[in-house]
Amino acid sequence: MREFLVEITTTVPEGTAPDEVDRRRAAEAVRARELAADGLLVRLWRPVGELRSIGVWRAADEDELHEKVLGTLPLRPWMSLTVTPLEPHPNDPGPSAPTV
């Protein structure tokens, strides 16, 4: 699995009924938990004072990320995405870092 940094900005279309927004947000929370349980949503942050999120997501490739992962989010039609493929850095102190 590859990892991707994904920046998401969600803009609710004008005139959308509040109950539709609530329904989609509730479904989004359920789907995010499912994707996390499947190891596809690794981490998710919201920058302080901003209405966007930044997360680390996993998929076999970028096509799968868009189609089978992000494309399954109930809020996806309202999202704009910036996707950056990631690769391990040799100085990464994380669990995949080589031991000396």
Side-chain angles (χ1 to χ4, degrees):
M1 295 289 254
R2 296 195 57 200
E3 291 188 329
F4 300 87
L5 181 69
V6 181
E7 296 180 56
I8 301 170
T9 302
T10 303
T11 305
V12 177
E14 273 191 54
T16 303
D19 61 324
E20 173 68 9
V21 175
D22 292 344
R23 184 187 66 75
R24 285 187 188 232
R25 284 188 176 149
E28 185 84 5
V30 170
R31 185 64 183 135
R33 284 191 299 275
E34 293 169 350
L35 292 167
D38 291 342
L40 302 175
L41 171 55
V42 181
R43 294 294 308 265
L44 194 60
W45 299 269
R46 173 167 289 150
V48 175
E50 297 186 33
L51 295 176
R52 66 185 179 104
S53 59
I54 300 169
V56 176
W57 299 74
R58 288 187 183 130
D61 56 38
E62 197 165 340
D63 287 339
E64 180 178 282
L65 176 71
H66 283 283
E67 294 171 22
K68 296 183 180 176
V69 180
L70 300 172
T72 68
L73 296 171
L75 292 173
R76 177 61 187 100
W78 300 345
M79 292 176 172
S80 60
L81 308 171
T82 302
V83 175
T84 305
L86 301 173
E87 62 183 31
H89 189 283
N91 297 330
D92 179 11
S96 63
T99 57
V100 180

